[in-house]
Amino acid sequence: MLSRKSRHLIAQRIFWTATGRLFIRFVTKIAQRWNYVVLNRSLNSEVNGEYWLISLLPPKSLVIDVGSNRGEFSENVI
């Protein structure tokens, strides 16, 4: 088994190269897409489920917006 120092030196040699930096950028983009698409952590109301939720509300529903931003969700409910 490699020591911590050896693993660290190997990682430095791999990732501190042009190819390593490109790989890191690629992994970062995939991680961002994973967060937005799979984990649904997007702030875009058209894809994060807010509009879908509004479509499920019965007419004349009482909706309380607790104020996490500027009230766009409440505006869309009306």
Side-chain angles (χ1 to χ4, degrees):
M1 183 168 186
L2 293 173
S3 69
R4 183 176 183 196
K5 183 177 180 179
S6 295
R7 290 192 309 264
H8 181 76
L9 291 173
I10 291 170
Q12 278 185 333
R13 288 186 183 162
I14 293 171
F15 295 117
W16 288 105
T17 64
T19 305
R21 288 190 297 274
L22 286 174
F23 177 73
I24 293 298
R25 284 189 205 137
F26 173 74
V27 169
T28 302
K29 286 180 183 180
I30 295 297
Q32 287 173 342
R33 289 180 185 161
W34 179 269
N35 279 329
Y36 291 146
V37 176
V38 177
L39 299 179
N40 197 23
R41 292 184 179 158
S42 174
L43 298 177
N44 183 346
S45 298
E46 294 185 14
V47 297
N48 71 4
E50 286 182 6
Y51 290 157
W52 172 76
L53 181 62
I54 293 170
S55 73
L56 297 177
L57 294 172
K60 298 184 181 182
S61 296
L62 173 65
V63 176
I64 299 173
D65 189 340
V66 295
S68 66
N69 202 352
R70 294 177 294 193
E72 289 95 356
F73 181 80
S74 296
E75 288 177 1
N76 287 310
V77 171
I78 297 174

